[in-house]
């Protein structure tokens, strides 16, 4: 059985193997989408394939929608070239449930895929056509938080961005430059309305997208490379909106055990591809059953009834509360705790860590005791129930092949939001005291210990990708197991508000963090000893 148009004509074979197939006329949907696209998504990664594409698939099956999705990839063109197109844009979504059962769905809702390459006239020309269409209601994004950044880790403007500021919208090189160019095309076509919806897992994601697009509009206007009205268009919420959203669905990279299941079913050509940019992609995605997507209901060109597919639309203040609940307390910080200590302690699966009494106590305390007191209940999701589901169902799911190494990626970009906001809330409270936070500083110390790249047995391990590794690793380069801490050498890190969200000296936490770190480098087994000391 092959995953493409020809192979899926053998419907009985796929059904016999337990696959759920698309129930709509794909050719009809493809034609309608080509003529009147309503949703283009940037970022052809696993979360999109497992979540948004599956939601649209369900709504197509139910007849709620009659058009599908267009996807564009701007970071790694090989995803489209080596995965989407050989499989005619079909994918397999494998849902791994906590009870051990799995659902296998052939997802056919993506009916166009494109490379976001301004040098490719055919590809970029089609994207321009899409942005000129009256029917286009939404451009959404899962390009990771760093995808919106126009500066390097040192705060310097990225060279491609600088070049795009000067050259204008004709053939930009940077990711956001290309997106801004497409939006400029829509502006030139009659200032047509659209919602630009970041669905990335970061705080106030819509503002990050707006700031990046606005920077291009401003620079192009200043340099005479775009009509002055483009900046006003980007700033007009009645024409271009940048809604906030909160997304949550654990989608690890495709796992070999899932690949074996599909092979036994008779599916051919399942081999994953590791691209030249080190993206790991396969014809299938594996993900948990739980999923949440809460979006600010600000769509100047209207929107389809996606709430019928489980998405939640509300006002900005509620999105903010949901996002803070999840990102700052109820999930993301707990994931980071497990990522940091999981790497140091040699774990390879997050679910296995939930059998470790110290690590369970760590995430329970950080979540329920230190974080929950400052969470504002958003109303549409209950914070306590959310953490309950995370710690009792989602993270312990033994069938989810998620790894601490994956979650440890870009940790320097996450600490400020995942823990710094809780510290700030304690500071602002008349009833809470920062000194009562005992385990958040332990996690900070754990991250510094992690940066040594040496596990608790004294063996070296590879750090996960992070844009600030070159900046922060030198500060722990002299640390050795069995050695001592020179607290002053850590000052540039501990007072870095961009990393921690606060200056740890100013909030009275730096000495505690340095003390914990000193205990964790006492020798092999010192990290475990510290966890036992503070969590037993």
């Amino acid at each position: 059985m092959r995953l493409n148009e020809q192979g899926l004509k053998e419907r009985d074979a796929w059904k016999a193997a337990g696959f759920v197939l698309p129930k709509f006329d794909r050719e009809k949907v493809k034609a309608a989408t080509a003529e009147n696209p309503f949703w283009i998504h940037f970022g052809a990664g696993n979360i999109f394939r497992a979540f948004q594409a599956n939601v649209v698939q369900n709504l197509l099956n139910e007849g709620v929608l009659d058009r599908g999705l267009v996807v564009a990839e701007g970071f790694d063109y090989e995803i489209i070239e080596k995965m989407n197109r050989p499989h005619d844009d079909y994918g397999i979504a494998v849902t791994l449930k906590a009870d051990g059962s799995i659902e296998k769905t052939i997802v056919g809702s993506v009916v166009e895929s494109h490379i976001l390459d301004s040098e490719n006239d055919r590809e970029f020309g089609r994207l321009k056509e899409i942005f000129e269409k009256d029917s286009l209601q939404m451009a959404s994004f899962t390009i990771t938080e760093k995808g919106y950044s126009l500066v390097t880790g040192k705060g310097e403007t990225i060279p491609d961005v600088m070049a795009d500021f000067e050259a204008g919208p004709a053939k930009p090189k940077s990711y956001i430059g290309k997106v801004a160019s497409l939006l400029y095309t829509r502006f030139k076509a009659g200032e047509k309305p659209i919602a630009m919806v970041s669905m990335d897992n970061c705080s106030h994601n819509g503002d990050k997208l707006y700031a990046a697009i606005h920077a291009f509009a401003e620079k192009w206007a200043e340099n005479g490379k775009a009509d002055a009205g483009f900046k006003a268009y980007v700033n007009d919420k009645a024409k271009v909106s940048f809604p906030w959203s909160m997304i949550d669905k654990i989608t690890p990279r495709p796992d070999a055990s899932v690949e074996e299941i599909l092979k036994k079913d008779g599916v051919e050509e399942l081999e994953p591809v590791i691209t030249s940019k080190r993206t790991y992609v396969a014809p299938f995605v594996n993900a948990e059953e739980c999923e949440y997507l809460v979006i600010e209901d600000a769509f100047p060109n209207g929107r389809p009834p996606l709430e019928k597919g489980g998405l939640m639309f509300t006002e900005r203040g509620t999105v903010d509360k949901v996002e803070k609940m999840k990102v700052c307390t109820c999930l993301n910080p707990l994931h980071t705790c497990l990522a940091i200590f999981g790497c140091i302690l040699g774990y390879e699966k997050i679910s296995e860590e939930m059998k470790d009494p110290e690590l369970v106590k760590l995430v329970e305390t950080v979540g329920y005791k230190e974080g929950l007191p400052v969470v504002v209940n958003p109303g549409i999701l209950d914070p306590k129930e959310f953490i309950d589901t995370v710690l009792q169902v989602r993270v312990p799911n033994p069938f989810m092949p998620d790894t601490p190494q994956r979650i440890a990626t870009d940790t320097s970009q996450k600490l400020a939001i995942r823990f710094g906001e809780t510290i700030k809330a304690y500071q602002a409270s008349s009833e809470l005291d920062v000194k009562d936070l005992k385990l958040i500083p332990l996690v900070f110390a754990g991250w510094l210990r992690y940066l040594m790249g040496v596990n608790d047995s004294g063996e070296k391990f590879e750090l996960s990708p992070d844009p600030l590794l070159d900046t922060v690793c030198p500060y722990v380069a002299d640390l050795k197991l069995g050695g001592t801490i020179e607290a002053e050498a850590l000052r540039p890190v501990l007072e870095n508000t961009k990393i921690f969200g606060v200056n740890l000296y100013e909030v009275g936490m730096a000495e505690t963090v340095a003390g914990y770190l000193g205990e964790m480098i006492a020798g092999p087994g010192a990290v475990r000893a510290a966890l036992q000391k503070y969590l037993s």
Side-chain angles (χ1 to χ4, degrees):
M1 301 188 301
R2 294 189 174 184
L3 184 68
N4 55 31
E5 288 284 8
Q6 187 63 34
L8 285 166
K9 289 179 180 177
E10 302 176 21
R11 292 180 68 86
D12 290 343
W14 287 92
K15 286 181 179 179
F19 288 85
V20 178
L21 298 173
K23 299 173 184 175
F24 52 90
D25 184 333
R26 194 165 187 249
E27 287 305 312
K28 187 176 179 181
V29 167
K30 191 181 295 186
T33 305
E35 183 61 30
N36 291 300
F38 76 97
W39 182 355
I40 182 169
H41 184 85
F42 292 89
N46 292 333
I47 184 69
F48 164 73
R49 297 165 68 203
F51 196 169
Q52 292 94 331
N54 210 21
V55 167
V56 172
Q57 164 110 339
N58 291 334
L59 294 177
L60 284 166
N61 284 342
E62 295 165 12
V64 174
L65 296 178
D66 60 0
R67 290 164 292 166
L69 280 158
V70 180
V71 68
E73 175 57 39
F75 171 71
D76 195 336
Y77 302 162
E78 291 178 60
I79 294 174
I80 302 298
E81 296 165 340
K82 296 183 177 179
M83 199 53 58
N84 280 69
R85 289 180 179 163
H87 297 286
D88 296 327
D89 290 323
Y90 282 103
I92 302 174
V94 180
T95 303
L96 306 168
K97 299 185 177 183
D99 65 4
S101 64
I102 65 172
E103 285 182 3
K104 301 170 294 188
T105 304
I106 305 299
V107 179
S109 59
V110 178
V111 292
E112 274 189 56
S113 58
H114 299 287
I115 292 166
L116 183 61
D117 181 2
S118 63
E119 297 291 337
N120 187 320
D121 291 339
R122 184 177 63 83
E123 298 280 355
F124 208 61
R126 174 54 184 157
L127 291 172
K128 284 184 174 181
E129 285 179 6
I130 290 168
F131 267 77
E132 289 173 340
K133 294 281 189 177
D134 291 347
S135 59
L136 187 63
Q137 296 174 312
M138 165 168 49
S140 60
F141 301 79
T142 49
I143 60 175
T144 75
E145 182 171 2
K146 60 187 175 186
Y148 306 105
S149 180
L150 307 185
V151 298
T152 66
K154 296 180 179 179
E156 301 165 348
T157 302
I158 295 168
D160 278 352
V161 171
M162 183 67 76
D164 289 347
F165 283 164
E166 296 297 327
K171 288 187 180 294
K173 298 178 181 179
S174 64
Y175 201 125
I176 296 296
K178 295 170 193 174
V179 173
S181 174
L182 293 172
L183 189 58
Y184 186 60
T185 297
R186 191 164 182 80
F187 163 76
K188 295 282 282 185
E191 301 188 27
K192 296 176 180 178
I194 188 172
M196 305 288 285
V197 189
S198 170
M199 296 180 176
D200 272 299
N201 182 16
C202 55
S203 179
H204 301 173
N205 45 21
D207 287 354
K208 288 180 169 58
L209 177 57
Y210 164 76
I213 296 289
H214 180 265
F216 277 92
E218 190 168 55
K219 289 294 185 181
W220 286 344
E222 282 179 13
N223 296 331
K225 299 296 183 180
D227 292 354
F230 181 49
K231 180 179 172 183
Y233 170 70
V234 170
N235 287 329
D236 187 346
K237 294 178 181 178
K239 293 178 180 175
V240 184
S241 66
F242 295 87
W244 293 1
S245 72
M246 188 287 288
I247 191 167
D248 184 18
K249 185 178 182 75
I250 300 173
T251 312
R253 83 179 199 175
D255 190 73
S257 64
V258 176
E259 182 182 343
E260 284 304 310
I261 292 171
L262 299 179
K263 279 183 178 177
K264 288 178 182 176
D265 288 333
V267 183
E268 302 172 52
E269 300 173 348
L270 282 168
E271 291 73 20
V273 169
I274 300 176
T275 71
S276 58
K277 290 194 172 183
R278 297 183 66 191
T279 305
Y280 190 100
V281 63
F284 65 92
V285 289
N286 35 244
E288 66 171 338
E289 184 177 13
C290 291
E291 59 187 28
Y292 308 88
L293 181 49
V294 183
I295 307 174
E296 178 186 356
D297 202 354
F299 289 78
N301 201 28
R303 63 168 178 82
L306 298 174
E307 65 275 8
K308 293 183 179 179
L311 306 192
M312 292 173 269
F313 293 89
T314 184
E315 47 83 34
R316 173 169 285 203
T318 300
V319 177
D320 189 37
K321 292 173 185 174
V322 172
E323 183 263 324
K324 285 182 177 175
M325 177 197 82
K326 178 242 181 180
V327 174
C328 303
T329 304
C330 297
L331 173 64
N332 295 20
L334 313 184
H335 253 163
T336 293
C337 293
L338 294 172
I340 289 170
F341 287 104
C343 290
I344 298 172
L345 296 175
Y347 283 102
E348 295 183 354
K349 287 184 72 174
I350 287 289
S351 58
E352 287 298 313
E353 293 186 68
M354 293 304 288
K355 299 175 184 176
D356 185 314
E358 280 86 44
L359 296 183
V360 170
K361 185 70 178 294
L362 173 66
V363 291
E364 286 179 345
T365 306
V366 169
Y368 291 118
K369 186 176 179 181
E370 297 193 348
L372 204 54
V374 297
V375 173
V376 176
N377 191 328
I380 59 174
L381 291 171
D382 181 82
K384 168 73 165 52
E385 292 177 4
F386 195 94
I387 297 183
D388 289 345
T389 303
V390 167
L391 295 183
Q392 296 169 21
V393 178
R394 299 176 66 187
V395 181
N397 183 346
F399 305 100
M400 276 291 292
D402 211 356
T403 68
Q405 291 75 23
R406 180 189 79 87
I407 296 171
T409 299
D410 300 339
T411 299
S412 71
Q413 310 295 289
K414 300 171 178 176
L415 296 172
I417 296 298
R418 299 187 177 192
F419 301 100
E421 291 303 308
T422 294
I423 296 170
K424 290 177 187 175
Y426 270 70
Q427 281 184 295
S429 173
S430 59
E431 301 174 359
L432 299 169
D433 190 338
V434 173
K435 292 188 177 111
D436 292 333
L437 295 173
K438 305 296 184 186
L439 295 189
I440 287 177
L442 187 71
V443 176
F444 290 165
W447 177 62
L448 294 171
R449 172 65 181 80
Y450 159 87
L451 291 175
M452 293 170 61
V454 175
N455 68 22
D456 202 30
S457 300
E459 302 162 338
K460 290 185 177 182
F461 66 87
E462 183 179 353
L463 299 177
S464 299
D466 188 312
L468 286 189
L469 288 183
D470 290 343
T471 302
V472 295
C473 286
Y475 294 112
V476 300
D478 293 334
L479 297 183
K480 299 287 187 292
L481 294 190
T484 57
I485 293 290
E486 178 56 57
E488 198 59 26
L490 296 173
R491 178 176 285 274
V493 178
L494 299 180
E495 66 184 8
N496 191 324
T497 58
K498 289 184 178 179
I499 292 178
F500 296 108
V502 294
N503 182 323
L504 296 184
Y505 285 93
E506 292 179 356
V507 299
M509 201 174 277
E511 187 176 328
T512 303
V513 172
Y516 284 150
L517 180 58
E519 293 184 47
M520 291 182 187
I521 68 166
V527 174
R528 174 62 70 186
L531 289 171
Q532 290 174 339
K533 176 180 178 181
Y534 295 107
L535 291 162
S536 61

